[in-house]
Amino acid sequence: MQQIIRPRRLRRTPSLRKLVRETRVSEESLIWPIFIREGENIYEEIPTLPGQYHYSPDQVYRAIERCLETGVSKVILFGLPKEKDEIGSGAWAENGVVQQGIRAIKEKYPDFYVVTDVCMCEYTSHGHCGILCDHDVDNDKTLEVLAKTALSHAQAGADMVAPSDMMDGRVEAIRDILDENGFENIPIMSYAAKYASFFYGPFRDAAGSAPSFGDRRSYQMDWHNGREAMRECELDLEEGADILMIKPALSYLDLIYQARERFDVPVAAYSVSGEYAMVKASAAAGLIDEYGVMCESAISIYRAGADILITYFAPELAQAIRKGDIG
Ligand code: PBG
């Protein structure tokens, strides 16, 4: 029998396999989430996210040094304030924790790219992502505080803002206030399709942001729905979003693929805390090869169509790319 077509021909050697790789990735497309905790001298591992730390503003240089060592060039900041209140006023305080974190980074590393997460849940005493009215989050009242928060991040020196609250109209509200204040060049990466996911569990411990009653299903999306994600993306684009994000990533590859096919803007995927913690826990139990699973999962997200990957594994992935194991 004559075999003319032999797909194995192109799989024979490492160099040949690298030649024909369909998915090429760069460390430039990685964003590392980091947690800034108000206080001093804090550099503490987060129990639910082994390998991730809380940094006080004076210690955040440690995270940036790790980035520079490994090849990561962008971070997204989350804040843990000392005090919380009903309306989350710490979110837009001039000397709020994220604002301090931005300034600390920019003082030492003025060119390092800093994105900020814009949301209220880490700052409200009830842990919801906005202003409450009875037992529900009031959409339109929340827009005002989100906009103020985004503005204060830009004023502190943030390079990009990323609203993660899922209120209707927040991209427009943020775009308006940024433009009115001379920040028309600050891009908005919207968490356009963000699901009410069980995969956020470890983050809520890490950020102290679990809702004290109820859940987030009246504002984050129902995971039965995919078409609705495209609608959310469309609306955010109309409101002025520059980058669309799908979150979580691994269980939502279909939506990353669809968003990449449909929209001509960069698509980001957020591989969330639960995805990271599952890999860490199963590797610790000896069930999987952590490095291999990390690489394979990241590439599957890029293969689905992500241009940008937000992941707790960013430093390790950047190293894997530099070594040529992936990318
Ligand atoms: C804030 C926010 C959350 C995450 C990112 N921004 C938590 C939530 O919506 O409850 C989750 C990130 C992760 O799990 O890694 N709203």
Side-chain angles (χ1 to χ4, degrees), residues 16 21 45 107 138 143-144 209 239 262 279 282 298 324 326:
L16 193 49
R21 273 179 182 169
E45 192 166 16
E107 240 164 63
D138 185 306
L143 296 183
E144 205 181 306
S209 66
E239 291 178 29
R262 259 165 100 148
V279 175
S282 41
I326 53 171

Side-chain angles (χ1 to χ4, degrees), residues 23 25 30 249-253 256 269-272 274-276 278-280 282 288-306 308-311 313 317 326:
T23 306
V25 300
L30 293 166
L250 278 180
S251 299
Y252 298 83
L253 296 178
I256 296 171
Y270 194 144
S271 184
V272 300
E275 298 175 40
Y276 174 85
M278 286 196 304
V279 175
K280 283 288 189 187
S282 41
I288 57 165
D289 171 342
E290 177 175 333
Y291 185 74
V293 169
M294 167 190 82
C295 290
E296 183 179 338
S297 312
I299 291 299
S300 72
I301 297 166
Y302 284 109
R303 198 185 58 233
I308 297 166
L309 176 60
I310 303 163
T311 170
F313 278 123
L317 282 168
I326 53 171

Side-chain angles (χ1 to χ4, degrees), residues 84 121-122 124-130 132 135 137 197 200-201 203-205 207-217 219-220:
K84 306 188 185 214
C121 62
E122 294 104 342
T124 51
S125 43
H126 44 78
H128 279 284
C129 300
L132 288 186
H135 267 49
V137 175
S197 173
Y200 307 150
F203 173 96
R204 290 184 187 167
D205 281 334
S209 66
S212 60
F213 66 88
D215 54 43
R216 304 210 199 289
R217 290 183 218 204
Y219 40 101
Q220 299 180 348

Side-chain angles (χ1 to χ4, degrees), residues 33 35 49 78 117-122 129 164-165 191 194-195 199-204 209 211 216 220 247 270-274 312:
F35 298 91
L49 292 173
F78 294 90
D117 180 87
V118 175
C119 196
M120 309 310 295
C121 62
E122 294 104 342
C129 300
S164 68
D165 52 282
Y191 288 66
K194 175 172 174 181
Y195 284 84
F199 287 97
Y200 307 150
F203 173 96
R204 290 184 187 167
S209 66
R216 304 210 199 289
Q220 299 180 348
K247 176 184 176 196
Y270 194 144
S271 184
V272 300
S273 57
Y312 300 95

